[in-house]
Structures are given as C-alpha cells and as structure tokens.
Amino acid sequence: MAEPWTTTTLRLKRPHASVGTEPSARHVCQIHNAPLNVYCCADEQVLCSICALVDHKGHRKKSVSEERRRKQVDLNNIKKASKERLQLHEKEWKKLNKNLLQIQEGAREAEGYCESIIAKLIDYLQRRYGTVQELIEAQERAAVAKVQSSLQSLERKIDEIKGKEIVLDQQAQTDDDVAFLQTWHSLLTLCEPDGLPRDFEDPLLPFEGVKIAVQEFGRQLEVFCDKEIIAISQSGQSTANSMHTGQNSNPKTRAEFLAFACEVTFDPNTAHKDLILSKNDKEVNVSQDKCQQQSEPHAERFTHRRQLLCVQGLHERCYYEVEVYGDKAEIALAYREMDRRSKTKLSAFGGNNKSWSLDRSKVYSVSHNGDAIQLSTSPSHHRVGVYLNYKEGALTFYEVSENMTFLYRVEATFTEPLYPGFWLGDKCCIRLCDLRQQNVPTR
C-alpha cells in the first residue's frame, strides 16, 4: 500500500498546469478534475478545493468570485490612473507641439527683428558715409582751387618772364652802343628776381587725415561690435545651457573636440615683413630671401617681431589644430589691441596682459604678462591642438597624435575676442589644419 500513496503524493506536488487553451480546461483542475473555485492570496494562484487543502495549507484564501471583485476594483483604479497619465502625456504633447511652433515662429520673428535693426545700422552708416564723402569732396574743391590759383599766378609770371626775355634778346643784339648803355639801368630792372615759388605742402595730406580717422572709427566700431556680440551670444547660450544640462562637460576624445572645430586663417595685414603666406593664407614661413620680403606698410603689421594674427576673433567654444615644423615657435591667443610696434616685450606674445602663449622649443612653456611656466613635456609630435572655452575662461593646449596629450590649461577672465597668433623662429613653418578631413598624423 505504500507505493500507491507515494505516487499519489508525488502527483499532488506537481506544478499546476497553466491555463489551457481549451474553454473546458480553464475552470477545472487538471490534477483532481475539480472546479477552480479557490484563490490563494499568498501564491496568487487559482486552485481547486483539494489543492487548497493539501498544498496551500495555512495560506490566506478567498473564493474566486470574491477575489475577482476585489481585483476588478484594483483594475478600475489602474485604468483610471492610466487614463489620467495618458491625458497628462497628451496634454504635455500638445504643450510641446505648441512650444515647437512658438520656437519656430519666435526664431523667425527674432531674425526679422534683428535684420531690421542691422538694416537700420547699415543705412545709418551709409548716411554717415555720405557725410564723409561730402567732407572729402569739400577738401578736394578747396585743394583744387588752391592749386588752380597757384597755377594761374605761375602762368602770369611765366608770361612776364618770357616778355622780359624778348626785350633782353633785342638789347643783346643791338649794334647801337649809345642806346645799349642808355637802356642799361632799365635792363637791370627787368632782371631783378621776383621770388621763386615756395614749396607746396603734401596735396594728399587732408585725405590721409580723413582715412586715418575713418580707420580708427572702423577699429573702434569693430571692437565695440565684438564685445556686444559676445554679450548677445552669452545671453543666448545661458538659455540654451539651462535646457541642455550636459553642455558644459569638457570633451575628452578627439572626436568630441572636433565637434567644436572652427576654421581660422592667417591675416596678411598683421604679418611681419619677414613672413611669407601661402596656400590660401593657411601656411606661413620665414622668408630666406630678403628680396621677397613684404615691404608694403600697414597699420596692423607687427613691426619688430616675426608674428602674425588670424582673421577670426574667437568668443565661443572653439577648437583648432596647427602643425609646427622647426625648432622654435609660439602658439598664442591675443586681444586685437595688443601692442605691435614696441621693441620691448610688450609686443611679444605672452609678454603682456593681452595675450597667452604656448612656447614650443626643446620643452614646452606657457607665458602670460611676462611670466613663464616651463613644462616638463618635450615636443614629440608636430601637431598641437588648442581648445578654448571662452565663457568658462579656460584655454587648453594639447599635443595631437593618435591620442590627445594634455599640455597645459590656462584659466582667465576673457573680456574681448581672442585672435589666434603665432611667432616663428628661424626656418620655421606653421600650417593651419583643415579639420574637415579629420586626419591625425602618426609622427
């Protein structure tokens, strides 16, 4: 008799079958062929009465119909909460769509408004240029009238001298000695000097004064505009940053740096006379042929140092790379107004409070305002990366190969746009890299 009891026990402990696919199997226990009318709250299973007594003894149980009513209430609450969430999401969706339209309309309205303001400024400058034109024309009329008056006076004197020369020729050819002597005193009167014409001042001097004044006006206007654009940009960025919490994170990989890549080109007007630019103002060399040196004067040119700036003023998050060939070079950023004519260190990158310089020689060093910090790193690759986070006041230098090798981080409060600048030692060449190609040298 023991063996059947064991078999029965084993059958009772078999797991309950899942709800069948046939309608007749859904409500009957497959073990005892009894109706499923008990619900075990502890195991959350529908049971027959026998299973409830044998395998779920001591568990809290309810009838299936009672538990269904209770769970029906829970289901209704779940459905109600789900419906409320759906309504909230639909409401938020409509709100975001409305915001999207408002953003697009606001952007177009801001563009139109700013365009109208800029157009008014352009119109204002054009009208002011008309005033300058009138001034130049008035100076031209005055200078022309003065020269014409002098021309007329000289013409009269020339005619008088020519008339005297005729009389002198006649007297010189006379054979009448008495008449010659009698007219001698009058001949001396004809020969009295009437004064040579004075040297005239530079006729272009008035126009040069206007040109210098307008150039200074343009420079001051450019500086003012740069500062205001920075303020406008920072105002817009502060709003954008509040919407993108991760925007202030610093890049780590070269791919992340390239997301902030900017294009820079050399400014020929600032280049020292010994520097030769080529390849669309993307490469600069030290001239070895004195005959080929640039000789034309320019107010923005560096006078005593082999330095030059780039055209672009940087005032956002920017990244660019340069390749340096030669023993000595400096990679700098400077304010536009730094001294370019002094023979002192004030005109050297890093020698004043308007520039920051990475000096590349046997070892790297960083200089600012006349103070230098020598680094322990020696150059091992030609390419250098420069990362500027203008708003945070951070300037970081890297050596670029397969990896980004950190060199130095400068922290400062920048108040004006920063222009990339370079100093070249003997036989040095610097190339501005085209980061659209995203190529990394291995040497």
Side-chain angles (χ1 to χ4, degrees):
M1 296 297 293
E3 185 176 350
W5 172 253
T6 304
T7 303
T8 303
T9 304
L10 291 174
R11 291 180 63 195
L12 286 174
K13 291 186 177 182
R14 288 172 54 195
H16 290 281
S18 301
V19 177
T21 57
E22 299 178 1
S24 59
R26 294 178 179 176
H27 304 88
V28 177
C29 175
Q30 294 184 3
I31 299 174
H32 303 104
N33 199 26
L36 300 174
N37 55 6
V38 179
Y39 180 79
C40 177
C41 298
D43 295 329
E44 296 184 346
Q45 291 184 355
V46 180
L47 313 167
C48 68
S49 300
I50 300 173
C51 290
L53 291 173
V54 176
D55 295 332
H56 298 268
K57 185 177 180 179
H59 294 180
R60 187 168 62 90
K61 307 175 188 69
K62 290 185 179 181
S63 67
V64 168
S65 59
E66 181 184 1
E67 185 63 19
R68 165 61 193 271
R69 285 192 298 271
R70 190 181 71 82
K71 290 194 179 303
Q72 184 69 44
V73 173
D74 293 341
L75 178 61
N76 291 337
N77 292 334
I78 292 172
K79 288 175 60 180
K80 181 179 179 182
S82 177
K83 187 175 182 179
E84 291 176 350
R85 287 197 302 272
L86 176 62
Q87 291 174 345
L88 288 174
H89 287 313
E90 289 177 341
K91 184 178 179 181
E92 187 66 19
W93 184 87
K94 292 179 181 179
K95 181 180 178 181
L96 289 175
N97 264 290
K98 183 178 179 181
N99 289 347
L100 179 61
L101 293 175
Q102 288 177 338
I103 289 171
Q104 294 171 338
E105 293 174 356
R108 301 293 81 75
E109 189 275 335
E111 286 179 351
Y113 178 80
C114 294
E115 184 179 359
S116 66
I117 296 297
I118 298 299
K120 290 179 180 178
L121 289 174
I122 293 174
D123 179 67
Y124 174 82
L125 289 174
Q126 287 177 336
R127 284 187 280 113
R128 296 287 75 80
Y129 177 61
T131 303
V132 174
Q133 284 181 308
E134 292 176 358
L135 173 62
I136 294 174
E137 291 172 356
Q139 290 176 334
E140 180 185 12
R141 288 193 297 270
V144 167
K146 186 175 182 180
V147 172
Q148 287 179 339
S149 175
S150 298
L151 284 172
Q152 292 174 359
S153 178
L154 284 174
E155 287 173 356
R156 288 193 299 269
K157 289 183 178 181
I158 290 171
D159 292 338
E160 291 176 1
I161 293 173
K162 286 181 178 180
K164 292 178 180 179
E165 285 185 342
I166 293 173
V167 175
L168 291 173
D169 289 339
Q170 291 174 350
Q171 293 299 323
Q173 296 174 6
T174 181
D175 295 332
D176 189 340
D177 296 338
V178 175
F180 179 86
L181 294 174
Q182 288 177 342
T183 59
W184 175 251
H185 289 290
S186 60
L187 293 177
L188 292 178
T189 304
L190 292 175
C191 297
E192 290 180 356
D194 54 358
L196 295 175
R198 63 182 177 86
D199 293 332
F200 289 98
E201 62 182 12
D202 184 358
L204 301 180
L205 187 60
F207 307 120
E208 290 300 322
V210 173
K211 287 164 62 178
I212 293 173
V214 171
Q215 182 185 38
E216 178 63 18
F217 167 74
R219 187 191 64 79
Q220 292 182 3
L221 182 61
E222 181 181 348
V223 172
F224 173 78
C225 289
D226 284 341
K227 290 181 179 179
E228 293 304 310
I229 289 296
I230 291 172
I232 294 171
S233 176
Q234 290 177 344
S235 175
Q237 285 295 327
S238 63
T239 303
N241 289 342
S242 65
M243 300 175 65
H244 302 279
T245 56
Q247 188 173 7
N248 287 331
S249 59
N250 290 321
K252 300 294 188 300
T253 65
R254 186 168 183 269
E256 292 175 348
F257 280 102
L258 290 175
F260 302 98
C262 61
E263 183 177 6
V264 292
T265 53
F266 294 126
D267 185 353
N269 293 333
T270 66
H272 183 269
K273 62 182 180 64
D274 291 347
L275 300 180
I276 303 298
L277 274 63
S278 59
K279 294 186 178 180
N280 299 321
D281 294 335
K282 288 286 189 177
E283 180 177 314
V284 60
N285 294 269
V286 177
S287 174
Q288 305 302 318
D289 187 351
K290 300 299 182 181
C291 297
Q292 294 182 358
Q293 293 178 354
Q294 303 179 34
S295 58
E296 68 276 10
H298 199 283
E300 297 185 356
R301 193 177 307 286
F302 284 96
T303 304
H304 301 287
R305 301 183 186 275
R306 290 195 296 242
Q307 298 180 161
L308 79 166
L309 294 175
C310 287
V311 175
Q312 295 79 8
L314 308 181
H315 51 78
E316 298 175 339
R317 288 220 283 181
C318 304
Y319 177 75
Y320 59 94
E321 294 176 353
V322 300
E323 287 184 348
V324 182
Y325 298 91
D327 294 334
K328 294 182 179 181
E330 293 180 11
I331 302 164
L333 283 99
Y335 294 152
R336 190 81 185 178
E337 294 182 337
M338 74 164 284
D339 193 330
R340 305 181 198 182
R341 297 181 176 275
S342 173
K343 293 183 179 180
T344 69
K345 65 179 182 180
L346 293 177
S347 64
F349 290 133
N352 51 69
N353 62 357
K354 298 180 183 295
S355 61
W356 294 258
S357 178
L358 174 71
D359 304 337
R360 186 181 188 274
S361 185
K362 293 183 179 180
V363 294
Y364 285 108
S365 62
V366 177
S367 56
H368 171 67
N369 202 19
D371 297 326
I373 299 175
Q374 183 170 307
L375 310 182
S376 59
T377 307
S378 298
S380 57
H381 296 279
H382 293 297
R383 186 171 292 205
V384 174
V386 182
Y387 173 64
L388 171 66
N389 191 331
Y390 188 94
K391 183 179 179 182
E392 290 188 359
L395 169 62
T396 315
F397 298 99
Y398 297 86
E399 197 172 67
V400 182
S401 57
E402 295 85 349
N403 301 312
M404 302 286 293
T405 303
F406 171 81
L407 296 177
Y408 195 81
R409 174 186 171 96
V410 174
E411 294 185 354
T413 301
F414 303 125
T415 59
E416 299 177 23
L418 292 169
Y419 292 81
F422 305 90
W423 173 86
L424 285 77
D426 294 335
K427 299 180 181 180
C428 181
C429 171
I430 294 180
R431 296 192 186 103
L432 300 175
C433 301
D434 185 357
L435 296 184
R436 291 172 297 182
Q437 300 177 359
Q438 299 186 11
N439 57 317
V440 182
T442 57
R443 298 174 53 224

